[in-house]
Amino acid sequence: MKRRLFTVGALATVALAGCASRSKFQQYNGPDVTSIVVNKGARKLYLLHGEEVLRDYQVGLGFAPVGHKMFEGDGRTPEGTYRIDRRNPRSEFYLSVGISYPNTQDRARAAAMGKSPGGDIFIHGQPLTYQPKKQDWTAGCIAVKNEEIEEIYAMVRDGTAITLRA
């Protein structure tokens, strides 16, 4: 009887362990990511250690991908050099890391047009509530697959430089 109870308990434990989902928060112990480069034309994001490419990813951009972000609502992804300045573990887009847009020049450019520069530019995963229909669908952010943002979230530290090129 005790053996049967033990066997049933062991099988239940194994079955429940198989149902457990893995954490979206990964550990990374490799070389530091010293910079990020986004090539908008190629739709590629590179994580670099010095000049060595550690990882690269295909990305989606703002729904109007050509040109520098000028003001809130233009659908463009910024160009220039910024910093990773925050992270959101409860993002509407799975996980996200924030980019320090707008800078002083971005604010001045938008103000000269009588507009807000916008903000909340992130590298993020996929939406939790819908499936995008095309590659460039964000409001100006950089989108990757959920498995990829898990890696990026683990590898990139706040303060890391990010350069976004045309």
Side-chain angles (χ1 to χ4, degrees):
M1 182 70 168
K2 287 184 180 181
R3 180 179 285 174
R4 184 178 305 175
L5 283 174
F6 175 77
T7 302
V8 170
L11 288 173
T13 301
V14 169
L16 288 174
C19 293
S21 63
R22 67 178 183 78
S23 173
K24 63 184 176 181
F25 301 104
Q26 296 184 11
Q27 298 294 317
Y28 176 71
N29 297 314
D32 288 343
V33 173
T34 56
S35 64
I36 304 167
V37 173
V38 175
N39 181 324
K40 290 173 52 176
R43 305 298 192 279
K44 294 288 277 191
L45 180 148
Y46 302 92
L47 301 183
L48 303 168
H49 174 75
E51 299 203 10
E52 175 190 359
V53 175
L54 298 174
R55 300 270 198 292
D56 65 275
Y57 308 94
Q58 277 298 134
V59 300
L61 302 171
F63 62 83
V66 178
H68 177 61
K69 183 163 195 63
M70 303 295 280
F71 54 86
E72 184 174 16
D74 67 5
R76 294 180 180 167
T77 301
E79 295 174 0
T81 299
Y82 300 90
R83 297 259 171 220
I84 298 300
D85 65 350
R86 62 201 182 278
R87 48 194 64 237
N88 184 355
R90 292 182 199 87
S91 173
E92 292 178 44
F93 301 94
Y94 192 66
L95 289 172
S96 59
V97 292
I99 298 172
S100 64
Y101 175 88
N103 61 27
T104 304
Q105 294 98 338
D106 297 321
R107 284 186 195 91
R109 186 181 303 112
M113 293 186 285
K115 301 198 177 226
S116 165
D120 285 341
I121 302 296
F122 288 85
I123 302 168
H124 60 65
Q126 300 299 303
L128 301 178
T129 56
Y130 64 93
Q131 214 36 16
K133 304 273 190 257
K134 55 185 182 173
Q135 180 178 14
D136 296 324
W137 56 270
T138 75
C141 295
I142 300 153
V144 296
K145 295 176 183 170
N146 288 349
E147 308 81 49
E148 296 169 340
I149 193 60
E150 288 178 3
E151 287 181 353
I152 294 166
Y153 197 91
M155 294 174 73
V156 173
R157 302 286 163 244
D158 289 359
T160 302
I162 178 168
T163 301
L164 301 105
R165 299 180 181 151

